[in-house]
Amino acid sequence: MSGSPPPTGGFVRRVGLFQATAINMSQMCGIGPFVTIPLMVAAFGGPQAVVGFLAGAVLALADGLIWAEMGASMPGSGGSYVYLRQAFQYRTGRLMPFLFVWTAMLFIPLIMSTGVVGFVQYLGYLAPGMGETTGDLVGLGIVALVVLLLWRGIEHIARITAVMWAVMITSVLLVILAAATDFSPDLAFTYPAHAFELTSNHFWTGFAAGLTIGIYDYLGYNTTAYMGAEIKDPGRTLPRSIVFSILGIMAIYLLLQIGTLGVIDWHRMTDPGDIASTSVASAVLEKTWGKGAADTVTVLILITAFASVFTGLLGGSRVPYDAARERVFFRPYARLHPRHRFPMLGLATMGVITAIGFLIGRHTDLATLIQLLTTVMVIVQALAQILALTVLRKRQPALRRPYRMWLYPVPSIVALVGWLTIYGYADKNSPGRHPIEWSLAWVALGCVAFVLWARFEKVWPFGPKEITEEYLAPRTPDAEPAGA
């Protein structure tokens, strides 16, 4: 056990608060709200869909405070991998961190693939004659370009991200401003009968579907936690970047959702044949400022979509690195690029899975992809991490915590209820697709892979447990044992 933070394995701390917040916000916003506003309206059946974005913000903030405490206390590369490894090593050895990396290798690139689907969707507004094959090739080309740009040092990536963040903010603000110039309160605030009837089954089914879409739109508030080994002053920077990005994106989403509903009749958003159902932001610009302005802002939206995929793969590719370096995942993932010091195999693998997920989303539908990625993520990351926070407070009370969760344990309870709601309603919201069954099958396959891997590595349950409390300060002679 060491009295100083563990070695970062070659990473350099060069990302400050502004860049960290920009990375989170670029990943959070991206193409998400531009393609999910119609999905949210369809889920709720009217302009009351704004409730979904509010509910998503509450869940994101509650869950974000969990990330904030653990990220500030254990600022290593890999995010949840580090937290689950520290919390569950006492009883199940390396099982939980292995399962997290196993599932993260699927759900992180699936999230990125939805961004590529959205990119091609909005590109269809500029090129309405684009065929299905052309769209597929464009999407695969975007994935290849992202991987190529990430094949370099973090200091260059931080500068690129700041520029993309500025483009993202510009595109969103232009849509909000355009909506404000032709805003109709009657369109935005005229609700169907019984829209808020809390005793109705229809409302709660819509709410669960809307919460799923809402949290998908906020995903990315934890991106910098995966990059803890590259963040300056992580004890202060990580919590602030998480909270600032959630609050900033919440304000943007509410203005965007309400503004859009005040320009475009919500019925158009639920009509598959209407451009408002696939490119709602472009429809707003076309109606308010004309086709030329719509084309210009659509280009900015495409850059925004690209930025979200870029920052997502940037953070996600770091996940398997730390696990492999500490022999908790397949060893080849521990290799860094000899010059630029980034995890090569993690980036390449997630790039391939992103491409596959894009093709799945293109040839099924976006809602199916969102349901699959959220159910896979809930079990091993969301729920396990809520438990990990409590376990670590008990097992490692001496852990240095530059930030402690406000109002503990209330945010943990809110996050638990939110994630269980999403998971419990997954099959009901996706008839015939069985996302719960698919998620359980993937976790079960991960357990089989762990047993085989553990047998090969001769670790628990085929060897002794290895307790490594490397983030704890040195014990004094009078201190209580950290694992007591």
Side-chain angles (χ1 to χ4, degrees), residues 125 282 284-295:
Y125 178 81
S282 301
V284 169
L285 266 295
E286 184 175 325
K287 183 176 178 182
T288 54
W289 292 351
K291 186 67 165 66
D295 289 347

Side-chain angles (χ1 to χ4, degrees), residues 34 126 198 364 371-372 386 447 456 466 482:
F34 295 120
L126 298 177
L198 301 185
T364 54
Q371 287 286 356
L372 177 60
I386 293 168
C447 290
F456 177 80
E466 299 175 13

Side-chain angles (χ1 to χ4, degrees), residues 20 26 33 53 55 58 89 95 154 161 207 212 223 239 249 259 300 336 351 362 425 459 484:
S26 296
F53 284 114
V58 172
Q89 60 184 330
L95 173 62
I154 186 66
T161 300
F207 179 85
T212 303
T223 300
I249 290 295
L300 296 180
L336 291 176
R362 280 275 290 172
Y425 278 82
V459 297

